[in-house]
Amino acid sequence: MRNGLSKDLIARVLGGAPKYTLDELEAKFPARKLPEGAFVTRFAPSPTGYMHLGGLYGALIDCKLASQSGGVFMLRIEDTDTKREVKDAVDIIIESLEKFGLKYNNVPEYGPYYQSMRKDIYHSVAAYLLEKGMAYPCFLTSEEMEEIRQKQNAAGFATGIYGEYARDRDIGEEEIIKHLDNGEVPTIRLYSTGNPDNRIFCKDAVRGSISFPENNEDTVLIKSNDRLPTYHFAHLCDDHFMRTTHVVRGEEWLSSFPLHVQMFRMMGWVPPLYIHTSTIDKIDEESGKQRKLSKRKDPEANVAFFLEAGWPTEAVIEYLGNIAASGYEEAKMKGQVKSFWDYEMRPKKIPMSGSLFDMKKLEWWAKEHIATLSVSDLVKSVVDWAKEYGSDDNKKQVSDRDYLTSVLSIERDNPKRIRKDFITWQQTLKEVSYFWDFLFVPNKEYEFNKDVLSEFLSSFDEKDDKDSWWQKIVYTAEKLALKPGDVAMNLRVAMTGRTNTPDLYSLMQVLGGERVRERINMVL
Ligand code: GLU
């Protein structure tokens, strides 16, 4: 420890007297009244204008652990990096969580939930540290720090402000006053007492206890330009006073884990239990190797991609849930649970390394999901998607909701034989496009048997039930010495332009007598 600063000097150093004492903060944010074992988690994105699939994965784990334990899931906006701020970024985050069905509960008692609005809290904790000699004002300029860095590089030492390089670590009040009188605004640095020759044990719920060399860097707690906290200091204050029990965050934070544990201990606070999640990977098409999803190369790295292309958000969640809790798929297949939300996930089983997100596998989850939907839910999803993201053609397709409903009702009445060829809302509309004359593409390659078509046409009656309709097909086949299947195929291609479709009778019913005649006549 170093000598603490006087109250007056602390106020000058921080640009204002602290609003709270530590005791007042403890009283202001009391322990939460929750059932034993309840998880308090938070999704804490920085508003960068983009929501990464890995972010959604973490938020899902947060939300699931909180909801299955009767706890609380919060959304905290980490907007202390004012240089990186992007317009609408917060709206994108909120909208994504809503669309993917992740509900957070930001009760006012533990807010505010924007870090930029929590300055009073950070400054109050910083004041405490300055008073106790656990932090100090540092007046190094960026040029001076650059010089230090070069010296360290030349000598082959670790870079950073630590030990003998931390020039202002032990400066006295007089010198501090001189700098302040000079109009300089300091950063507030941690007065680190860690020794890298010693090891510190940090507990991760998945990895167990991990040992690291102790941190000896005098890390910046409060920046000088805007007097806002760094991630490290904000994390300490927020997760303590918001009473977070579990911090789910990306494995890129493992390297600063010892610093965080050091700070919690220094404050005499119990750290939350950490869950460092692995990156979300894919198999690179060129090299065939597994690699991290790249914001630059992979459209699916951005969750907006799934919304725009009309992937069922539930299917994306189901698949991400299965990545986080690998036993889920089996439990679902055995009929033990209906959705990921019913499955009890275990934090210990969250994967530690490179989790694969495979678009082909997602297709399977999407098909399975869509097959469980009622016609009206299917129609609603398709219409909502088309209105928000669809092309002009898609919008026309959904303009007559009754017709769309009959189209999508085909092969949905027998629960054992629900069609499973719908994957996304966009692809669904493409799959059934032949039902609309303006999208119907006649098949120019198929060698029609025109006798079949004219024979069938002469007896066709749209009021026929399925049996009579089939009798007419059989009759046509017999008359022309063909198989009924050949007749059906000629009709199928004439109706749809395709050789593979769902139930022919149903689709002809939906097309209606007039269109059926028109399409046959078109071929003839
Ligand atoms: N704002 C940090 C990030 O976006 C949050 C990390 C955490 O969850 O603590 O990576």
Side-chain angles (χ1 to χ4, degrees):
M1 294 307 116
R2 48 162 283 138
N3 288 335
L5 305 188
S6 70
K7 285 212 161 45
D8 287 349
L9 196 51
I10 290 174
R12 278 197 74 188
V13 157
L14 288 174
K19 192 163 170 193
Y20 307 105
T21 65
L22 225 46
D23 284 344
E24 282 166 350
L25 285 175
E26 291 293 339
K28 187 170 158 61
F29 303 110
R32 291 178 186 256
K33 291 190 193 71
L34 289 171
E36 206 179 308
F39 284 51
V40 178
T41 60
R42 82 298 186 281
F43 176 46
S46 306
T48 58
Y50 175 95
M51 180 135 158
H52 194 280
L53 188 64
L56 184 65
Y57 174 65
L60 171 62
I61 297 174
D62 279 316
C63 182
K64 178 71 174 95
L65 291 175
S67 79
Q68 76 179 18
S69 64
V72 179
F73 165 51
M74 305 174 268
L75 169 64
R76 183 171 74 222
I77 303 297
E78 306 221 318
D79 56 348
T80 57
D81 194 349
T82 39
K83 274 182 254 134
R84 281 173 56 206
E85 210 133 318
V86 181
K87 202 175 149 277
D88 299 336
V90 175
D91 295 341
I92 291 174
I93 294 163
I94 293 176
E95 194 191 325
S96 308
L97 291 180
E98 192 183 300
K99 291 215 160 146
F100 285 91
L102 305 186
K103 289 200 187 68
Y104 53 89
N105 183 9
N106 285 2
V107 294
E109 289 85 339
Y110 293 90
Y113 292 87
Y114 284 73
Q115 288 185 328
S116 58
M117 294 164 73
R118 298 173 65 82
K119 213 167 174 172
D120 284 340
I121 300 173
Y122 309 125
H123 281 210
S124 300
V125 179
Y128 168 84
L129 291 174
L130 288 165
E131 192 191 326
K132 297 285 175 210
M134 294 193 279
Y136 65 93
C138 169
F139 295 92
L140 284 170
T141 63
S142 34
E143 292 76 35
E144 286 164 337
M145 285 194 294
E146 178 54 25
E147 253 171 58
I148 294 173
R149 207 179 59 85
Q150 284 177 10
K151 253 193 237 159
Q152 290 167 328
N153 273 337
F157 293 148
T159 55
I161 302 304
Y162 58 87
E164 61 185 283
Y165 298 104
R167 187 195 68 193
D168 295 349
R169 236 172 106 82
D170 291 300
I171 50 173
E173 297 221 341
E174 244 166 70
E175 207 172 328
I176 295 173
I177 292 170
K178 232 194 272 162
H179 281 292
L180 293 173
D181 286 347
N182 207 14
E184 295 170 46
V185 179
T187 53
I188 308 299
R189 284 186 186 270
L190 171 74
Y191 188 84
S192 181
T193 51
N195 174 354
D197 293 336
N198 301 335
R199 297 193 77 83
I200 179 167
F201 289 85
C202 303
K203 196 166 171 214
D204 177 284
V206 184
R207 294 165 175 79
S209 184
I210 319 172
S211 98
F212 294 91
E214 282 180 2
N215 165 64
N216 67 339
E217 226 187 294
D218 288 353
T219 306
V220 174
L221 306 179
I222 305 264
K223 298 174 283 172
S224 58
N225 60 339
D226 49 17
R227 292 198 152 111
L228 283 170
T230 54
Y231 167 79
H232 311 294
F233 191 53
H235 155 52
L236 169 81
C237 301
D238 292 344
D239 285 316
H240 177 69
F241 288 117
M242 290 178 157
R243 308 298 172 188
T244 307
T245 63
H246 290 73
V247 167
V248 179
R249 62 182 184 186
E251 65 184 3
E252 67 273 18
W253 293 108
L254 272 173
S255 57
S256 38
F257 198 5
L259 164 68
H260 300 152
V261 172
Q262 174 188 20
M263 291 196 297
F264 270 94
R265 288 193 189 156
M266 177 183 84
M267 294 302 299
W269 294 343
V270 180
L273 190 49
Y274 291 82
I275 296 171
H276 290 96
T277 54
S278 59
T279 56
I280 298 285
D281 292 358
K282 74 178 285 180
I283 300 292
D284 186 85
E285 278 127 35
E286 275 160 38
S287 68
K289 291 205 182 90
Q290 185 164 338
R291 64 160 172 82
K292 214 164 121 172
L293 273 187
S294 138
K295 191 166 158 175
R296 202 167 41 83
K297 286 194 237 161
D298 309 310
E300 73 268 33
N302 184 349
V303 300
F305 162 82
F306 297 93
L307 300 173
E308 282 158 20
W311 285 90
T313 51
E314 294 87 347
V316 177
I317 289 294
E318 290 275 290
Y319 183 28
L320 286 176
N322 192 56
I323 292 175
S326 59
Y328 167 56
E329 184 179 335
E330 199 186 328
K332 185 180 162 103
M333 287 300 108
K334 284 188 183 153
Q336 293 160 347
V337 288
K338 271 220 170 84
S339 92
F340 179 59
W341 299 104
D342 310 327
Y343 181 73
E344 174 94 13
M345 79 172 286
R346 306 245 310 271
K348 266 204 172 90
K349 294 209 161 166
I350 295 170
M352 256 195 268
S353 58
S355 308
L356 207 55
F357 189 93
D358 173 2
M359 292 299 287
K360 276 277 161 234
K361 195 84 199 358
L362 176 63
E363 283 188 12
W364 179 83
W365 285 94
K367 286 179 185 170
E368 289 293 318
H369 170 74
I370 296 178
T372 64
L373 296 181
S374 65
V375 181
S376 62
D377 286 346
L378 173 58
V379 170
K380 182 177 185 314
S381 300
V382 170
V383 172
D384 289 350
W385 173 80
K387 284 189 177 155
E388 189 165 358
Y389 303 104
S391 64
D392 289 344
D393 284 354
N394 293 148
K395 291 191 172 78
K396 271 192 238 163
Q397 280 179 286
V398 303
S399 60
D400 181 346
R401 201 174 177 122
D402 290 340
Y403 186 58
L404 179 68
T405 304
S406 357
V407 168
L408 296 180
S409 299
I410 295 173
E411 285 190 17
R412 285 199 99 70
D413 39 7
N414 182 349
K416 290 210 187 79
R417 279 196 305 116
I418 305 258
R419 62 187 299 186
K420 281 202 179 156
D421 53 346
F422 295 149
I423 305 167
T424 69
W425 313 134
Q426 185 173 47
Q427 171 267 354
T428 297
L429 283 173
K430 195 162 172 217
E431 195 61 33
V432 297
S433 58
Y434 52 81
F435 282 96
W436 288 267
D437 293 333
F438 74 98
L439 292 174
F440 170 60
V441 186
N443 191 322
K444 300 255 165 63
E445 268 106 66
Y446 188 76
E447 287 177 23
F448 287 102
N449 182 331
K450 293 191 177 167
D451 294 342
V452 165
L453 293 176
S454 45
E455 181 61 37
F456 178 84
L457 188 59
S458 66
S459 66
F460 172 67
D461 181 349
E462 63 264 41
K463 288 188 223 64
D464 282 344
D465 65 12
K466 195 163 185 178
D467 285 339
S468 331
W469 170 84
W470 182 246
Q471 279 318 312
K472 287 181 179 171
I473 287 185
V474 172
Y475 176 78
T476 308
E478 275 165 7
K479 198 162 168 194
L480 299 169
L482 294 163
K483 291 195 193 108
D486 300 327
V487 176
M489 185 54 87
N490 272 277
L491 280 173
R492 186 184 309 282
V493 180
M495 293 303 114
T496 67
R498 306 182 190 177
T499 51
N500 200 344
T501 70
D503 184 59
L504 183 59
Y505 173 75
S506 314
L507 79 83
M508 286 171 76
Q509 286 288 305
V510 172
L511 283 169
E514 202 180 318
R515 259 200 210 97
V516 167
R517 288 191 190 89
E518 224 173 76
R519 291 192 182 179
I520 292 179
N521 279 323
M522 217 192 275
V523 176
L524 295 178

